Amino acid sequence: MANASAKRIASQNEIAIRNLQLGMIICNALYFVIRLLHPSRSFPPSLSQFTIYVLTFLPSLFLAQHLRTTGRPRRDPVTGTLISSGEDLDARGVTEWCWDVIYVTWACQVGSALLGEWFWFGYLSIPAFACWKLYTKVIGPMFLGRGGPQNTETTDAVEEDKAAPSEGLSKRQQKMQKRERKGEQRVKHR
């Protein structure tokens, strides 16, 4: 059963890596082809335009290489059997953010070639998103506490649970409710 899951992840990763490579080639080629064919765009791009392009291309190249190396499945060279499926490239968290940065870079490259240099301001969505995540995951809970304004729905549910009678519950279930109210780590939510 686990082998089937590893094979599925490996095939999805191979497709994602192939699409990543194709996307890198197409978007970067489009940037220069549109500039060459579009009458109001300068070709070759000015030094400032090319500097912005390179400064945004390098992080996307680094992230694409990271996704390729971590997601590439390893196979036995002799038999071709799957040794490792690689990291799941559809995973949430950092892998998802790598894809987001690459997609924003591609959109800014093609958009700036089509619509103008002001389109590079879309790249500011990356640090804005990072600041928002930092605020909601670290700064907000640190200074506003666990039951700050962002968790009013959760605190209302906990207060309702406290007010609800514990009739019909076993002693074990009552203990688990008390532990959950205290916020103990060993209580598992299902």
Side-chain angles (χ1 to χ4, degrees):
M1 201 60 141
N3 197 15
S5 176
K7 287 180 182 178
R8 180 185 52 79
I9 289 173
S11 68
Q12 287 176 346
N13 284 355
E14 287 172 342
I15 292 169
I17 290 171
R18 193 173 329 120
N19 289 341
L20 175 66
Q21 292 170 337
L22 189 62
M24 289 290 283
I25 291 169
I26 289 173
C27 287
N28 289 295
L30 271 176
Y31 177 77
F32 291 106
V33 169
I34 291 171
R35 285 200 165 276
L36 180 65
L37 298 177
H38 201 281
S40 66
R41 304 284 172 245
S42 63
F43 189 82
S46 68
L47 181 62
S48 64
Q49 295 167 350
F50 190 70
T51 303
I52 292 172
Y53 170 79
V54 169
L55 287 177
T56 57
F57 171 73
L58 291 177
S60 69
L61 182 65
F62 172 77
L63 293 174
Q65 185 60 31
H66 169 72
L67 291 174
R68 272 188 230 120
T69 56
T70 59
R72 178 164 283 130
R74 291 187 307 135
R75 299 185 183 278
D76 184 7
V78 178
T79 61
T81 58
L82 186 66
I83 296 172
S84 169
S85 63
E87 295 293 322
D88 186 9
L89 293 180
D90 286 336
R92 297 181 58 94
V94 176
T95 305
E96 184 179 35
W97 298 337
C98 290
W99 286 108
D100 292 344
V101 171
I102 291 170
Y103 293 148
V104 168
T105 303
W106 290 351
C108 287
Q109 287 173 349
V110 175
S112 69
L114 281 173
L115 303 173
E117 298 310 310
W118 63 269
F119 209 84
W120 284 113
F121 286 113
Y123 211 72
L124 293 175
S125 65
I126 296 169
F129 179 74
C131 290
W132 177 74
K133 278 295 200 186
L134 183 68
Y135 175 75
T136 58
K137 299 291 183 186
V138 178
I139 296 171
M142 186 183 303
F143 293 112
L144 300 175
R146 190 166 181 183
Q150 72 273 19
N151 284 336
T152 56
E153 193 175 290
T154 314
T155 56
D156 292 341
V158 170
E159 288 174 10
E160 287 176 13
D161 286 344
K162 287 180 184 177
S166 59
E167 296 174 14
L169 296 177
S170 68
K171 287 185 179 182
R172 183 177 186 278
Q173 290 172 334
Q174 290 173 1
K175 284 182 185 179
M176 293 301 282
Q177 271 188 347
K178 287 180 184 178
R179 288 180 184 161
E180 187 176 341
R181 284 187 207 130
K182 290 181 184 177
E184 288 189 23
Q185 291 292 334
R186 60 183 173 176
V187 177
K188 294 182 182 177
H189 299 282
R190 294 181 187 182

PDB file of all heavy atoms in Angstrom, residues 24 38 49 52-53 55 59-60 76 90 96 113 146 160-161 169 172-173 179 184-185 189:
ATOM      1  N   MET A  24       9.570  27.519 -17.019  1.00  0.00           N
ATOM      2  CA  MET A  24      10.746  28.406 -16.944  1.00  0.00           C
ATOM      3  C   MET A  24      11.200  28.812 -18.346  1.00  0.00           C
ATOM      4  O   MET A  24      11.484  29.993 -18.585  1.00  0.00           O
ATOM      5  CB  MET A  24      11.896  27.714 -16.206  1.00  0.00           C
ATOM      6  CG  MET A  24      11.700  27.544 -14.724  1.00  0.00           C
ATOM      7  SD  MET A  24      11.755  29.051 -13.782  1.00  0.00           S
ATOM      8  CE  MET A  24      13.502  29.364 -13.737  1.00  0.00           C
ATOM      9  N   HIS A  38       6.964  43.639 -29.675  1.00  0.00           N
ATOM     10  CA  HIS A  38       6.053  44.713 -29.255  1.00  0.00           C
ATOM     11  C   HIS A  38       6.681  46.054 -29.625  1.00  0.00           C
ATOM     12  O   HIS A  38       7.781  46.379 -29.191  1.00  0.00           O
ATOM     13  CB  HIS A  38       5.813  44.621 -27.745  1.00  0.00           C
ATOM     14  CG  HIS A  38       4.570  45.299 -27.299  1.00  0.00           C
ATOM     15  ND1 HIS A  38       4.492  46.659 -27.138  1.00  0.00           N
ATOM     16  CD2 HIS A  38       3.337  44.806 -26.987  1.00  0.00           C
ATOM     17  CE1 HIS A  38       3.277  46.971 -26.734  1.00  0.00           C
ATOM     18  NE2 HIS A  38       2.561  45.863 -26.639  1.00  0.00           N
ATOM     19  N   GLN A  49      15.771  47.872 -16.493  1.00  0.00           N
ATOM     20  CA  GLN A  49      14.794  46.816 -16.757  1.00  0.00           C
ATOM     21  C   GLN A  49      15.450  45.434 -16.686  1.00  0.00           C
ATOM     22  O   GLN A  49      14.890  44.500 -16.116  1.00  0.00           O
ATOM     23  CB  GLN A  49      14.161  47.011 -18.135  1.00  0.00           C
ATOM     24  CG  GLN A  49      13.333  48.252 -18.253  1.00  0.00           C
ATOM     25  CD  GLN A  49      12.988  48.569 -19.691  1.00  0.00           C
ATOM     26  OE1 GLN A  49      13.514  47.974 -20.627  1.00  0.00           O
ATOM     27  NE2 GLN A  49      12.095  49.539 -19.869  1.00  0.00           N
ATOM     28  N   ILE A  52      16.215  44.479 -13.009  1.00  0.00           N
ATOM     29  CA  ILE A  52      15.027  43.979 -12.307  1.00  0.00           C
ATOM     30  C   ILE A  52      14.722  42.552 -12.748  1.00  0.00           C
ATOM     31  O   ILE A  52      14.419  41.686 -11.924  1.00  0.00           O
ATOM     32  CB  ILE A  52      13.814  44.900 -12.557  1.00  0.00           C
ATOM     33  CG1 ILE A  52      14.030  46.249 -11.890  1.00  0.00           C
ATOM     34  CG2 ILE A  52      12.526  44.253 -12.049  1.00  0.00           C
ATOM     35  CD1 ILE A  52      12.983  47.278 -12.249  1.00  0.00           C
ATOM     36  N   TYR A  53      14.830  42.302 -14.053  1.00  0.00           N
ATOM     37  CA  TYR A  53      14.580  40.962 -14.573  1.00  0.00           C
ATOM     38  C   TYR A  53      15.535  39.946 -13.946  1.00  0.00           C
ATOM     39  O   TYR A  53      15.108  38.889 -13.471  1.00  0.00           O
ATOM     40  CB  TYR A  53      14.719  40.959 -16.097  1.00  0.00           C
ATOM     41  CG  TYR A  53      14.708  39.582 -16.696  1.00  0.00           C
ATOM     42  CD1 TYR A  53      13.503  38.911 -16.875  1.00  0.00           C
ATOM     43  CD2 TYR A  53      15.882  38.943 -17.063  1.00  0.00           C
ATOM     44  CE1 TYR A  53      13.481  37.640 -17.413  1.00  0.00           C
ATOM     45  CE2 TYR A  53      15.864  37.681 -17.594  1.00  0.00           C
ATOM     46  CZ  TYR A  53      14.671  37.030 -17.769  1.00  0.00           C
ATOM     47  OH  TYR A  53      14.641  35.762 -18.296  1.00  0.00           O
ATOM     48  N   LEU A  55      17.306  40.245 -11.123  1.00  0.00           N
ATOM     49  CA  LEU A  55      17.116  40.143  -9.676  1.00  0.00           C
ATOM     50  C   LEU A  55      15.880  39.326  -9.301  1.00  0.00           C
ATOM     51  O   LEU A  55      15.813  38.788  -8.190  1.00  0.00           O
ATOM     52  CB  LEU A  55      17.027  41.538  -9.056  1.00  0.00           C
ATOM     53  CG  LEU A  55      18.339  42.318  -8.990  1.00  0.00           C
ATOM     54  CD1 LEU A  55      18.097  43.711  -8.428  1.00  0.00           C
ATOM     55  CD2 LEU A  55      19.378  41.575  -8.161  1.00  0.00           C
ATOM     56  N   PRO A  59      16.089  34.379  -7.858  1.00  0.00           N
ATOM     57  CA  PRO A  59      15.372  33.616  -6.823  1.00  0.00           C
ATOM     58  C   PRO A  59      14.478  32.521  -7.395  1.00  0.00           C
ATOM     59  O   PRO A  59      14.394  31.429  -6.843  1.00  0.00           O
ATOM     60  CB  PRO A  59      14.541  34.662  -6.094  1.00  0.00           C
ATOM     61  CG  PRO A  59      15.179  35.957  -6.396  1.00  0.00           C
ATOM     62  CD  PRO A  59      15.816  35.809  -7.742  1.00  0.00           C
ATOM     63  N   SER A  60      13.827  32.809  -8.514  1.00  0.00           N
ATOM     64  CA  SER A  60      12.962  31.775  -9.093  1.00  0.00           C
ATOM     65  C   SER A  60      13.789  30.611  -9.625  1.00  0.00           C
ATOM     66  O   SER A  60      13.373  29.452  -9.521  1.00  0.00           O
ATOM     67  CB  SER A  60      12.072  32.349 -10.194  1.00  0.00           C
ATOM     68  OG  SER A  60      12.825  32.700 -11.326  1.00  0.00           O
ATOM     69  N   ASP A  76      16.516   2.850  -9.258  1.00  0.00           N
ATOM     70  CA  ASP A  76      17.673   1.964  -9.398  1.00  0.00           C
ATOM     71  C   ASP A  76      18.093   1.969 -10.862  1.00  0.00           C
ATOM     72  O   ASP A  76      17.264   1.719 -11.744  1.00  0.00           O
ATOM     73  CB  ASP A  76      17.291   0.555  -8.943  1.00  0.00           C
ATOM     74  CG  ASP A  76      18.464  -0.401  -8.956  1.00  0.00           C
ATOM     75  OD1 ASP A  76      19.605   0.051  -9.199  1.00  0.00           O
ATOM     76  OD2 ASP A  76      18.244  -1.602  -8.708  1.00  0.00           O
ATOM     77  N   ASP A  90       3.464  18.644  -3.943  1.00  0.00           N
ATOM     78  CA  ASP A  90       2.142  19.215  -3.688  1.00  0.00           C
ATOM     79  C   ASP A  90       1.937  19.492  -2.212  1.00  0.00           C
ATOM     80  O   ASP A  90       0.820  19.806  -1.782  1.00  0.00           O
ATOM     81  CB  ASP A  90       1.039  18.259  -4.168  1.00  0.00           C
ATOM     82  CG  ASP A  90       0.916  18.240  -5.668  1.00  0.00           C
ATOM     83  OD1 ASP A  90       1.310  19.236  -6.304  1.00  0.00           O
ATOM     84  OD2 ASP A  90       0.422  17.236  -6.211  1.00  0.00           O
ATOM     85  N   GLU A  96       4.878  24.875  -0.993  1.00  0.00           N
ATOM     86  CA  GLU A  96       3.799  25.654  -1.599  1.00  0.00           C
ATOM     87  C   GLU A  96       4.233  27.102  -1.824  1.00  0.00           C
ATOM     88  O   GLU A  96       3.921  27.703  -2.858  1.00  0.00           O
ATOM     89  CB  GLU A  96       2.594  25.587  -0.663  1.00  0.00           C
ATOM     90  CG  GLU A  96       1.351  26.245  -1.167  1.00  0.00           C
ATOM     91  CD  GLU A  96       0.208  26.109  -0.179  1.00  0.00           C
ATOM     92  OE1 GLU A  96       0.445  26.140   1.049  1.00  0.00           O
ATOM     93  OE2 GLU A  96      -0.931  25.987  -0.644  1.00  0.00           O
ATOM     94  N   ALA A 113       6.585  42.611 -19.755  1.00  0.00           N
ATOM     95  CA  ALA A 113       6.878  42.668 -21.187  1.00  0.00           C
ATOM     96  C   ALA A 113       5.651  43.136 -21.965  1.00  0.00           C
ATOM     97  O   ALA A 113       5.777  43.895 -22.930  1.00  0.00           O
ATOM     98  CB  ALA A 113       7.333  41.304 -21.687  1.00  0.00           C
ATOM     99  N   ARG A 146      -3.231  34.076  23.035  1.00  0.00           N
ATOM    100  CA  ARG A 146      -3.862  32.992  22.290  1.00  0.00           C
ATOM    101  C   ARG A 146      -5.299  33.329  21.896  1.00  0.00           C
ATOM    102  O   ARG A 146      -5.786  32.920  20.863  1.00  0.00           O
ATOM    103  CB  ARG A 146      -3.840  31.731  23.126  1.00  0.00           C
ATOM    104  CG  ARG A 146      -4.245  30.525  22.360  1.00  0.00           C
ATOM    105  CD  ARG A 146      -3.894  29.303  23.092  1.00  0.00           C
ATOM    106  NE  ARG A 146      -4.310  28.171  22.273  1.00  0.00           N
ATOM    107  CZ  ARG A 146      -4.215  26.948  22.623  1.00  0.00           C
ATOM    108  NH1 ARG A 146      -3.705  26.644  23.779  1.00  0.00           N
ATOM    109  NH2 ARG A 146      -4.604  25.993  21.836  1.00  0.00           N
ATOM    110  N   GLU A 160     -18.693  28.024  25.363  1.00  0.00           N
ATOM    111  CA  GLU A 160     -19.909  27.238  25.263  1.00  0.00           C
ATOM    112  C   GLU A 160     -19.696  25.828  25.806  1.00  0.00           C
ATOM    113  O   GLU A 160     -20.556  25.263  26.455  1.00  0.00           O
ATOM    114  CB  GLU A 160     -20.396  27.176  23.816  1.00  0.00           C
ATOM    115  CG  GLU A 160     -20.992  28.457  23.321  1.00  0.00           C
ATOM    116  CD  GLU A 160     -21.364  28.383  21.846  1.00  0.00           C
ATOM    117  OE1 GLU A 160     -21.381  27.265  21.284  1.00  0.00           O
ATOM    118  OE2 GLU A 160     -21.631  29.444  21.260  1.00  0.00           O
ATOM    119  N   ASP A 161     -18.516  25.261  25.523  1.00  0.00           N
ATOM    120  CA  ASP A 161     -18.195  23.926  26.021  1.00  0.00           C
ATOM    121  C   ASP A 161     -18.124  23.916  27.543  1.00  0.00           C
ATOM    122  O   ASP A 161     -18.536  22.955  28.180  1.00  0.00           O
ATOM    123  CB  ASP A 161     -16.865  23.426  25.443  1.00  0.00           C
ATOM    124  CG  ASP A 161     -16.989  23.019  23.987  1.00  0.00           C
ATOM    125  OD1 ASP A 161     -18.134  22.837  23.521  1.00  0.00           O
ATOM    126  OD2 ASP A 161     -15.945  22.893  23.320  1.00  0.00           O
ATOM    127  N   LEU A 169     -21.280  11.882  29.912  1.00  0.00           N
ATOM    128  CA  LEU A 169     -19.896  11.659  29.513  1.00  0.00           C
ATOM    129  C   LEU A 169     -19.221  10.742  30.520  1.00  0.00           C
ATOM    130  O   LEU A 169     -19.469  10.829  31.720  1.00  0.00           O
ATOM    131  CB  LEU A 169     -19.125  12.978  29.442  1.00  0.00           C
ATOM    132  CG  LEU A 169     -19.581  13.995  28.414  1.00  0.00           C
ATOM    133  CD1 LEU A 169     -18.749  15.258  28.533  1.00  0.00           C
ATOM    134  CD2 LEU A 169     -19.497  13.444  27.016  1.00  0.00           C
ATOM    135  N   ARG A 172     -13.404   9.447  31.588  1.00  0.00           N
ATOM    136  CA  ARG A 172     -12.288   9.687  30.658  1.00  0.00           C
ATOM    137  C   ARG A 172     -12.600  10.881  29.752  1.00  0.00           C
ATOM    138  O   ARG A 172     -11.749  11.733  29.512  1.00  0.00           O
ATOM    139  CB  ARG A 172     -12.040   8.431  29.831  1.00  0.00           C
ATOM    140  CG  ARG A 172     -10.861   8.557  28.894  1.00  0.00           C
ATOM    141  CD  ARG A 172     -10.623   7.242  28.157  1.00  0.00           C
ATOM    142  NE  ARG A 172      -9.430   7.308  27.359  1.00  0.00           N
ATOM    143  CZ  ARG A 172      -9.350   7.849  26.154  1.00  0.00           C
ATOM    144  NH1 ARG A 172     -10.416   8.388  25.611  1.00  0.00           N
ATOM    145  NH2 ARG A 172      -8.211   7.865  25.487  1.00  0.00           N
ATOM    146  N   GLN A 173     -13.831  10.936  29.251  1.00  0.00           N
ATOM    147  CA  GLN A 173     -14.215  12.041  28.384  1.00  0.00           C
ATOM    148  C   GLN A 173     -14.219  13.362  29.144  1.00  0.00           C
ATOM    149  O   GLN A 173     -13.850  14.405  28.600  1.00  0.00           O
ATOM    150  CB  GLN A 173     -15.585  11.777  27.769  1.00  0.00           C
ATOM    151  CG  GLN A 173     -15.589  10.667  26.746  1.00  0.00           C
ATOM    152  CD  GLN A 173     -16.982  10.282  26.294  1.00  0.00           C
ATOM    153  OE1 GLN A 173     -17.952  10.463  27.040  1.00  0.00           O
ATOM    154  NE2 GLN A 173     -17.090   9.749  25.078  1.00  0.00           N
ATOM    155  N   ARG A 179      -8.642  18.757  30.098  1.00  0.00           N
ATOM    156  CA  ARG A 179      -7.308  18.945  29.520  1.00  0.00           C
ATOM    157  C   ARG A 179      -7.374  19.854  28.289  1.00  0.00           C
ATOM    158  O   ARG A 179      -6.491  20.667  28.068  1.00  0.00           O
ATOM    159  CB  ARG A 179      -6.698  17.599  29.141  1.00  0.00           C
ATOM    160  CG  ARG A 179      -6.277  16.793  30.335  1.00  0.00           C
ATOM    161  CD  ARG A 179      -5.694  15.485  29.916  1.00  0.00           C
ATOM    162  NE  ARG A 179      -5.374  14.657  31.062  1.00  0.00           N
ATOM    163  CZ  ARG A 179      -5.198  13.361  31.020  1.00  0.00           C
ATOM    164  NH1 ARG A 179      -5.312  12.710  29.865  1.00  0.00           N
ATOM    165  NH2 ARG A 179      -4.902  12.690  32.102  1.00  0.00           N
ATOM    166  N   GLU A 184      -3.715  21.550  26.958  1.00  0.00           N
ATOM    167  CA  GLU A 184      -2.596  20.617  27.036  1.00  0.00           C
ATOM    168  C   GLU A 184      -2.273  20.070  25.651  1.00  0.00           C
ATOM    169  O   GLU A 184      -3.134  19.876  24.816  1.00  0.00           O
ATOM    170  CB  GLU A 184      -2.929  19.468  27.990  1.00  0.00           C
ATOM    171  CG  GLU A 184      -2.937  19.902  29.436  1.00  0.00           C
ATOM    172  CD  GLU A 184      -3.046  18.727  30.389  1.00  0.00           C
ATOM    173  OE1 GLU A 184      -2.692  17.610  29.993  1.00  0.00           O
ATOM    174  OE2 GLU A 184      -3.500  18.938  31.520  1.00  0.00           O
ATOM    175  N   GLN A 185      -0.972  19.796  25.454  1.00  0.00           N
ATOM    176  CA  GLN A 185      -0.482  19.349  24.160  1.00  0.00           C
ATOM    177  C   GLN A 185      -0.909  17.922  23.835  1.00  0.00           C
ATOM    178  O   GLN A 185      -1.031  17.563  22.686  1.00  0.00           O
ATOM    179  CB  GLN A 185       1.054  19.422  24.138  1.00  0.00           C
ATOM    180  CG  GLN A 185       1.583  20.823  24.158  1.00  0.00           C
ATOM    181  CD  GLN A 185       1.289  21.563  22.888  1.00  0.00           C
ATOM    182  OE1 GLN A 185       1.121  20.953  21.834  1.00  0.00           O
ATOM    183  NE2 GLN A 185       1.208  22.867  22.957  1.00  0.00           N
ATOM    184  N   HIS A 189      -6.991  16.405  18.572  1.00  0.00           N
ATOM    185  CA  HIS A 189      -8.270  16.809  17.979  1.00  0.00           C
ATOM    186  C   HIS A 189      -8.507  15.965  16.752  1.00  0.00           C
ATOM    187  O   HIS A 189      -7.636  15.815  15.911  1.00  0.00           O
ATOM    188  CB  HIS A 189      -8.247  18.302  17.605  1.00  0.00           C
ATOM    189  CG  HIS A 189      -8.039  19.188  18.794  1.00  0.00           C
ATOM    190  ND1 HIS A 189      -9.039  19.469  19.646  1.00  0.00           N
ATOM    191  CD2 HIS A 189      -6.933  19.805  19.253  1.00  0.00           C
ATOM    192  CE1 HIS A 189      -8.566  20.263  20.604  1.00  0.00           C
ATOM    193  NE2 HIS A 189      -7.279  20.474  20.383  1.00  0.00           N
TER     194      HIS A 189
END
